[in-house]
Amino acid sequence: MRTPREIKEEIARLTERRSEVLHLLSEGFTTELSDEHQELEERIAGLWDEHRHARVAHRFGDRDRIIERARHEERLSRAA
């Protein structure tokens, strides 16, 4: 898994490219630029999701281990 910092760097790079594409689109519409803009939007949204996931994992640990611990604690509380 990548670190939140690595993900933010990629977001910054793609955001810069998105800005360039929007500027080019303002000068004249092309299907290629429009498609690239849509791909950039989707990729950036995915990276923000990955960033949130990475921050949580960094702060609280692996999701599967958290679930495993919660289930274990639940079993203990039911047994008591």
Side-chain angles (χ1 to χ4, degrees):
M1 178 180 273
R2 297 188 296 173
T3 66
R5 184 179 195 173
E6 293 169 335
I7 298 167
K8 289 272 290 219
E9 289 170 357
E10 186 173 353
I11 290 171
R13 186 179 56 78
L14 292 177
T15 301
E16 179 65 32
R17 177 61 188 155
R18 180 181 61 185
S19 176
E20 294 168 3
V21 169
L22 285 172
H23 178 72
L24 293 171
L25 277 170
S26 72
E27 293 174 355
F29 179 85
T30 66
T31 305
E32 294 82 16
L33 284 173
S34 179
D35 290 344
E36 182 180 357
H37 177 260
Q38 184 62 36
E39 290 172 14
L40 287 167
E41 288 289 338
E42 291 170 4
R43 181 70 179 131
I44 290 169
L47 284 169
W48 278 116
D49 288 341
E50 182 182 351
H51 181 263
R52 283 188 290 275
H53 208 45
R55 278 187 20 222
V56 168
H58 179 72
R59 185 170 181 186
F60 298 108
D62 183 54
R63 179 182 182 273
D64 294 332
R65 293 193 62 175
I66 292 170
I67 293 170
E68 183 180 316
R69 273 183 286 169
R71 288 182 179 152
H72 180 69
E73 289 175 12
E74 183 180 334
R75 283 191 296 267
L76 289 176
S77 66
R78 280 188 281 170

